[in-house]
Every structure is written in C-alpha cells, then in structure tokens.
C-alpha cells in the first residue's frame, strides 16, 4: 500500500468490502517494525487477534461483508481488517443481550461474582498478550499497556466483590399498618460506547459493574482500537460469562449509536469520549428516556504553588501530563505555576521532558509513543501554532519528531495565556503549557474558568491551602501532591460539561441499578 493511501485512510477510516480488503495483506508490509510484526503474527496465529464482531456468544462477520482496517499508529501499517458493522448487527446484539438478561439477572450475586472473578483471573493470566495487542493498535509503550491491563482488570476484581453488596433498605413507615422496603434491581441492557485511548480499562470500568448488577451489555469500542475489546470478550466466554451477556459490535459509530439509542430494550447508555459526541448521545437518549452516564473531555489544571516540594511537583506533573503521550482525559492540560517558583520549575521540568525517549512502544525504554492519528496530530500542531502566534514561547520541542509518522516531540510551552487554544481546550497530546500566576485566588479563578470539570491537581506543602483549594475547585477529582490518582476503589467522573455519573468504587454500581420502593399495606 502506498504511504499516501495509508495516510489518507488513517485520517478518515471507511468501511471496505471484503474483496477490496483481501488485497491488503495482513501483517505483510515490509516497513512494519520487526518487533511489532513478530508480535502481530504470534498473536494472530494463537487466535488472540479476533476480527469478527461478537453477538450472542458467536463470532460474526458484518452482514454485508464489509470490513475496516485497524492500524498500528507507530508504523502506519495495517494490522488486520475487522468486521464493519452497523444498525442491523447492533439490533441483533441488543436482542441477544435482552434474552440473556432474563437469565443472567436471575443468578445469585455469588454466581455472577464467580464468573467475574474468573474473567479477572484470565485477563491477568493473559496480561502480556493483551498489553502487546494494545501497544500494537494504540501505540502506548508496552509497560504502560501492561499497566492498563492490570488497572482495567482491577475493576473486574472489585466489582466481582461488590456484586454481593447490592443492599436494599427497610424504611420506618409513616402509617402503623404499613411496611416499606427499597430493593435495587439491574436496569437491563446497557449500551457501552468507549474511546481509543484506554482500549481495555474504559470497557471494564463499565462492563464489570453492569454485569455485577445483573445487566447485560452491547459494547461499541472505537474503530481505532477494537482488537483489545474483542480479545477481552473472548476471555469473558472462557470465564463462563454466558453467551449474550457481553456483545461487541464495531464499525459505523453513528449507525450503531442510533440503533442503541432507538431501542426501548436498551435502558442505559454509558459513554466515554468527547463532549461533542456525549451531548449528541444525551439528546438521543431522551427519546426513550434512558439512564445516561457520560465520561467526557477535561481541561485539567495542575497548580504548582510557591510552597510546593519541587521534586514532588516535577514527578507528579510529568506523570499526569505525559501518560499515554498526553492522550488522557485527566492529563494536566494547563500547568499553572506561581511566580516565585516559575523559573526554577520551568527549567527543571523542561529538562525532564527533554530526556524522554520517543518511539515505537515495543522498543525498550520508550516513554512516549505516537499520537493516535493524523487529525489528532494536526490538532496538536494547530494549538501550538496558535499559542506561538499569540506570544507564547517554545521551551522544548514544539514540532513533529524526526521519527516521522504521528510522533511529536515532548513539548513545553511557556508564557501561555488564558485566551490561547492550549488553555481553552484539551490538546490531547504531549504538549505542556505553563501559565504564570500570582495569588491563590487567581489560580482558582483560572482553574475554574472552563466548561470542563474532570480532574485537577495541586502541589503544595500547606495542609490548610490543600483543603481550601480542593473545596474551591469545580472538579470531580482532585489530586494533591500526586499526579496519578485513578483507582478502582474511588469514584471517577466529572462536573460541568465533563460528564454525568461516576465510575469505580461503590458509587459506580448505582449507575446500573434501579431503585424500587415496595409498600406492604394493611398489616394491622
Ligand atoms: P469520540 O470521538 O467521542 O469517540 C468515543 C467513542 O464514541 C468511539 O467509540 C466513537 O466511535 C464513538 N462515536 C463517535 N461518534 C458517535 C456517534 N455519533 N454515535 C455513537 N458513538 C459515536 O472520542 P475519542 O476521540 O475517541 O476519545 C477522546 C475523548 O474522550 C477526549 O475528549 C477525552 O477527554 C475523552 N475521554 C474521557 C474520559 C473520562 O473518563 N472522562 C476517559 C477517556 C477519554 P469511533 O471511534 O468508532 O468513531
């Protein structure tokens, strides 16, 4: 395939007929890195790479035979073609999920718990293969990918335990001859739509609590990273989760989304992705009044106060900014540095950023992989150009990496101002904008001056300030002297336009449960 054709298709993936795709030999391109190529062929021959959708426990092609290419973002080469599905397959997946719901929801919590626990065990037993698959299709460094497998699996382990704790209530009645009860019941079939940046964890954060509650699911992973989702679905069957409880359809996002929204059998939509798509889904869910959870974009402030421990601040800021090459919703998007520590911090931070190794995630020591695709790369470039044109200064990086493809130099930009795109929107790339501030009040004002409200960070040694500022920040998550705070045991979710609902922890269960009040009368 010509590099130009590859680039074009990576920018705007489209479904192809099977016949067209036969000419695109799987794993055959001579330029694919040796490591990636050998990993891909090993995973393929061991059956770990699945290319069909998963409906009712069966692997199925798209009904019209169409397929879509899945790329390795580090090399630009096609890994394989997967089924490109749409509305018809989604409807069948919903029917299958609905039929299975009738039996799955009737199992005891202990029975569901055992299945989930087995799924967790199998994911952990296949951690290396899943990590390799993720690096192949998403580009993140292998260690980071294996870290995501552990993190993603932790939700399954946690909710296997939580399944047994769906308690109801007995309410003291207002009348003497009545007895009042509250029971919690699974909502029903769940449509789960997930992004490419965490190909496993964004799925398990939804599917594990849904299954634990007794719901069944139709998953739509991103077309950019379907392979990890399909491998996880295969392991769910091996774990004894019944056919139809977990279904995976991928392909046309709008057709699949519409089918999920239109179906009265789908009682819940859970989505992680951009705020723009989240708003569309929320509007679409209104037609059948579904429950909705939305994990949307962020614009995380990371505030470094003069009284911060510099080493802790450096380590924490590096961790939050550069995870997954800056492509996470909780990545620091604006680094606010108080004027007394600004110069010292920016010099030390730039030095640390410059030392990061960029490259193919399979190469030893690589800390930064590629950006997911060309349009994401163009966005990063345009944000940096906008900042430069408005007076910001490039301290490190600021351009495409010499490796080519979508690799971008880890970048630090100084003197960023509130009106620049870098401060107003998620850059979703390895670019760290530094903004100088004078007072605590000013920092809080800048931090809250956005429609987003997902994660915020601060570095300070003052316990009074850390409490005061935490209360003032309009964010769902606050990290104090720590850059990586997400864990299965704590609630994750945003305020304002960063979303609705919470994932993880005991609160994550409520998203998949209905509360039913039962009144027993005439008891005297
Ligand atoms: P996206 O474009 O919104 O896509 C997310 C998912 O929605 C993908 O599966 C996508 O399918 C699907 N989709 C797109 N249009 C749709 C439609 N009309 N109907 C139904 N589904 C549709 O977001 P992304 O670029 O993949 O992910 C990056 C965004 O996710 C960032 O804004 C990031 O902040 C956010 N994010 C938030 C969290 C959180 O927990 N708050 C976590 C991770 C990421 P295709 O990919 O197949 O087109």
């Amino acid at each position: 395939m010509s590099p130009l054709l590859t680039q074009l298709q990576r920018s705007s993936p489209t479904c192809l007929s099977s016949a067209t795709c036969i000419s695109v030999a799987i794993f055959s391109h001579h330029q694919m890195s040796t490591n990636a190529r050998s990993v891909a062929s090993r995973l393929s021959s061991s059956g770990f790479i699945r290319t069909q959708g998963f409906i009712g426990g069966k692997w199925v092609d798209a009904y019209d035979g169409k397929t879509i290419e899945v790329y390795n973002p580090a090399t630009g080469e096609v890994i394989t073609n997967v089924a490109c599905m749409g509305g018809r397959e989604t409807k069948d997946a919903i029917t299958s999920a609905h039929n299975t719901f009738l039996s799955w929801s009737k199992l005891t919590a202990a029975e569901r718990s055992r299945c989930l626990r087995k799924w967790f065990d199998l994911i952990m037993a296949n951690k290396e293969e899943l990590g390799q698959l993720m690096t192949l299709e998403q580009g993140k460094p292998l260690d980071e990918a294996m870290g995501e497998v552990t993190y993603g699996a932790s939700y399954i382990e946690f909710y296997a335990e939580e399944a047994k704790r769906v308690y109801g209530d007995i309410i003291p009645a207002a009348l003497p001859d009545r007895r009042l009860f509250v029971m919690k019941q699974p909502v029903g079939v769940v449509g789960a739509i997930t992004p490419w940046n965490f190909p496993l964890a964004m799925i398990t954060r939804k599917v594990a609590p849904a299954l634990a509650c007794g719901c069944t699911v139709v998953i739509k992973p991103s077309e950019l990273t379907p392979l990890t989702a399909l491998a996880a679905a295969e392991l769910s069957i091996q774990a004894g989760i019944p056919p139809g409880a977990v279904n995976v359809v991928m392909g046309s996002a709008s057709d699949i989304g519409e089918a999920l929204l239109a179906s009265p059998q789908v009682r819940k939509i859970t989505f992680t992705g951009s705020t723009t798509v989240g708003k569309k889904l929320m509007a679409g869910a209104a037609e059948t009044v579904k429950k909705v959870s939305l994990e949307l974009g962020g614009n995380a402030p990371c505030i470094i106060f003069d009284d911060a421990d510099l080493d802790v601040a450096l380590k924490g800021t590096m961790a939050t900014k550069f995870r997954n090459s800056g492509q996470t919703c909780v990545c620091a998007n604006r680094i606010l540095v108080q004027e007394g520590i600004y110069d010292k911090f920016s010099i030390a931070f730039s030095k640390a950023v410059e030392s990061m190794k960029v490259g193919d995630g399979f190469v030893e020591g690589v800390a930064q992989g590629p950006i997911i695709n060309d349009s994401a790369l163009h966005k990063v470039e345009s944000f940096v150009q906008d900042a430069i044109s408005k007076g910001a200064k490039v301290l490190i990086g600021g351009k495409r990496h010499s490796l080519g493809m979508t690799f971008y130099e880890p970048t630090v930009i100084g003197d960023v101002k509130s009106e620049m795109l870098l401060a107003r929107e998620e850059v979703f790339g390895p670019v760290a904008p530094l903004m100088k501030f004078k007072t605590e009040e000013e920092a809080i004002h800048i931090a809250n001056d956005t429609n987003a409200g997902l994660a915020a960070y601060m570095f300070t040694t003052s316990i009074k300030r850390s409490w005061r500022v935490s209360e003032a920040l309009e964010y769902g998550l606050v990290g104090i002297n720590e850059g990586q705070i997400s864990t299965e045991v704590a609630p994750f979710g945003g305020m304002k336009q960063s979303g609705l609902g919470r994932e993880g922890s005991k609160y994550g269960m409520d998203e998949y449960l209905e509360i039913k009040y039962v009144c027993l009368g005439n008891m005297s």
Side-chain angles (χ1 to χ4, degrees), residues 15 17 32 47 58 65 73 75 91 95 140 173 190 247 267 302 313 320 363 429 449 469 473-474 477:
C15 292
S17 72
M32 186 181 260
K58 294 198 172 63
T75 62
K91 280 183 194 156
T95 304
K140 63 178 72 177
V190 173
N247 303 273
R267 292 309 318 142
C302 176
T320 162
V363 175
D449 183 23
V469 178
L473 288 170
E474 297 164 352
L477 322 168

Side-chain angles (χ1 to χ4, degrees), residues 14-182:
T14 44
C15 292
L16 303 172
S17 72
S18 305
T20 318
C21 290
I22 290 166
S23 64
V24 184
I26 300 170
F27 317 133
S28 65
H29 198 284
H30 64 281
Q31 281 174 2
M32 186 181 260
S33 79
T34 318
N35 252 347
R37 196 195 298 154
S38 61
V39 166
S41 77
R42 191 161 23 81
L43 293 176
S44 180
S45 55
S46 64
F48 216 79
I49 292 186
R50 293 278 177 178
T51 58
Q52 295 165 295
F54 192 58
I55 300 176
K58 294 198 172 63
W59 294 102
V60 286
D61 288 321
Y63 295 166
D64 59 6
K66 283 183 178 166
T67 61
I68 191 166
E69 295 172 332
V70 181
Y71 295 91
N72 176 343
T75 62
E77 300 306 325
V78 176
I79 304 167
T80 188
N81 301 312
V82 297
C84 182
M85 299 176 147
R88 284 193 294 146
E89 296 87 345
T90 307
K91 280 183 194 156
D92 286 348
I94 294 168
T95 304
S96 134
H98 182 70
N99 293 340
T100 306
F101 173 71
L102 303 177
S103 50
W104 176 251
S105 58
K106 297 289 182 298
L107 293 183
T108 65
E111 286 168 318
R112 287 198 298 270
S113 172
R114 278 194 288 277
C115 290
L116 283 167
R117 176 73 211 190
K118 189 99 189 284
W119 195 24
F120 163 78
D121 289 339
L122 283 170
I123 286 180
M124 291 308 287
N126 289 279
K127 179 174 160 176
E128 205 170 323
E129 289 80 358
L130 283 166
Q132 289 171 343
L133 196 53
M134 200 185 291
T135 296
L136 211 51
E137 65 175 346
Q138 203 274 342
K140 63 178 72 177
L142 187 56
D143 279 353
E144 208 176 315
M146 293 212 281
E148 183 186 333
V149 177
T150 305
Y151 169 69
S154 72
Y155 285 89
I156 304 179
E157 184 185 42
F158 181 84
Y159 285 111
E161 293 153 4
E162 210 62 14
K164 300 177 225 165
R165 299 181 194 120
V166 181
Y167 302 124
D169 280 313
I170 298 176
I171 299 176
L175 295 172
D177 68 337
R178 293 191 176 187
R179 299 294 179 270
L180 314 185
F181 306 91
V182 169

Side-chain angles (χ1 to χ4, degrees), residues 64 168 211 265 312 404 485 524:
D64 59 6
L211 291 174
Q265 287 178 327
V312 170
I485 60 173
S524 55

Side-chain angles (χ1 to χ4, degrees), residues 194 196 205 220 222-223 272-274 295-297 329 426 492:
T194 55
W196 49 265
R205 255 176 22 176
K220 195 216 86 64
S222 168
E223 66 185 352
T272 297
S274 62
E295 295 284 352
L296 309 177
C329 52
E426 266 183 319
F492 187 106

Side-chain angles (χ1 to χ4, degrees), residues 181-357:
F181 306 91
V182 169
M183 63 171 83
K184 291 187 181 173
Q185 294 181 311
V187 289
V189 175
V190 173
I193 303 175
T194 55
W196 49 265
N197 63 344
F198 289 95
L200 182 70
M202 295 304 103
I203 291 176
T204 56
R205 255 176 22 176
K206 301 174 185 314
V207 174
L211 291 174
C213 290
C215 300
T216 52
V217 291
V218 177
I219 304 167
K220 195 216 86 64
S222 168
E223 66 185 352
L224 301 174
T225 57
L227 302 179
T228 310
L230 295 169
E234 165 63 27
L235 295 175
S236 78
I237 284 287
Q238 290 177 23
I241 295 173
V246 174
N247 303 273
V248 184
V249 287
M250 63 273 174
S252 164
S254 55
D255 290 351
I256 295 169
E258 272 168 33
L260 289 170
L261 291 172
S263 169
Q265 287 178 327
V266 175
R267 292 309 318 142
K268 160 97 192 181
I269 293 287
T270 171
F271 171 76
T272 297
S274 62
T275 303
T276 311
V277 174
K279 286 179 182 177
K280 278 193 205 159
L281 294 175
M282 191 174 175
E287 195 59 38
T288 47
V289 192
K290 300 184 200 308
K291 255 172 114 82
V292 177
S293 293
L294 302 171
E295 295 284 352
L296 309 177
N299 180 3
C302 176
I303 311 172
I304 324 277
F305 287 104
D306 281 346
D307 63 9
D309 176 321
L310 187 62
D311 288 342
V312 170
L314 278 171
K315 195 164 156 257
T317 309
M318 290 295 291
T320 162
K321 177 64 243 183
F322 290 100
R323 186 173 177 207
N324 202 6
S325 301
Q327 304 172 107
T328 88
C329 52
V330 291
C331 274
N333 201 53
R334 296 168 292 159
I335 301 169
L336 317 183
V337 192
Q338 201 160 12
E339 57 185 359
I341 200 174
Y342 186 92
D343 290 342
K344 220 167 158 187
F345 180 85
S346 64
I347 291 166
F349 185 63
S350 300
K351 212 165 144 196
V353 172
E354 198 176 20
S355 71
M356 275 190 296
K357 186 167 166 182

